[in-house]
Every structure is written in C-alpha cells, then in structure tokens.
Amino acid sequence: MENKLRTSTLNPAFVIALKEPIRQSLLKDLRGSNAYEHVQELLEKGLISRHKDKNGRSFNIKTTPKFAEYFKLKGDVRALVKTLNIDKGVKDDEEDMRQATPPDAKGVKDE
C-alpha cells in the first residue's frame, strides 16, 4: 500500500479488528468523535468495510482481507490478539458500556 496510515488511525483500526463487527456508534463512544475521520481513512484505503445495521441507524464495521495484508497478519485478524498479547475474550457492546459505569457501592460501609 502506497500511503501509510496516520498514527492516530492505528488505535481505532485495532479496536475494529478486535471487536469486529463493531457498530460505528460504539467506536465513536470508545474512541471519540475523531473516529468518523479515522473510519473514512480506513475505508478509502480499503482496510475496512461498512454496512448499515439491521435498524438502519448505524453502520457495522469490519476488516477486509487487505487489513490483514497491510499489517502482515498471518491467517485472519485474530492473530492480532496474539500479536498484541491481549485476552481473547472480546466483550459485546452492552458489556463495554457496563464497564464504563462506576461499580455499585453496595455493601461498602463508611467508617
């Protein structure tokens, strides 16, 4: 591939790869409003594909074979998990949102 990705685009690219298919709206929640710009760059380079989800409100994003080729991943993008040494348990959208909220303070006594 002729053009290199901007460094700021790498993080969203890896989030997409690890959580694919991921809703674009969740990616924006996880990576901020610049995620739209990063998605556009990845689309232009052919590294991801984007399709409307069932309700038609957001897009589902996933990597393409070009993504694995670009990052020299053997096999599919799940090799990225091993490369980055990340736990294989990828959580769904609801679990991600639950983790973003502070834990319940039940059972904690003030002393």
Side-chain angles (χ1 to χ4, degrees), residues 8-46:
S8 61
T9 304
L10 291 176
N11 204 329
F14 293 145
V15 170
I16 292 167
L18 294 173
K19 294 186 174 284
E20 71 176 322
I22 183 172
R23 279 190 272 148
Q24 184 169 310
S25 57
L26 177 61
L27 182 64
K28 182 211 163 258
D29 291 345
L30 294 172
R31 302 305 315 153
S33 61
N34 287 339
Y36 295 121
E37 183 181 321
H38 301 143
V39 165
Q40 190 58 41
E41 181 178 351
L42 293 166
L43 282 168
E44 289 170 3
K45 294 186 184 305

Side-chain angles (χ1 to χ4, degrees), residues 33-90:
S33 61
N34 287 339
Y36 295 121
E37 183 181 321
H38 301 143
V39 165
Q40 190 58 41
E41 181 178 351
L42 293 166
L43 282 168
E44 289 170 3
K45 294 186 184 305
L47 300 175
I48 61 170
S49 63
R50 181 174 73 173
H51 303 283
K52 284 274 190 188
D53 68 3
K54 292 177 186 175
N55 66 16
R57 290 184 164 185
S58 187
F59 288 97
N60 285 324
I61 302 171
K62 64 181 191 170
T63 60
T64 64
K66 217 174 197 181
F67 182 94
E69 182 183 319
Y70 183 85
F71 289 103
K72 298 179 176 111
L73 300 173
K74 293 177 173 76
D76 61 77
V77 293
R78 286 178 179 74
L80 180 64
V81 173
K82 291 178 183 175
T83 302
L84 296 176
N85 218 7
I86 297 173
D87 182 23
K88 293 179 185 174
V90 177

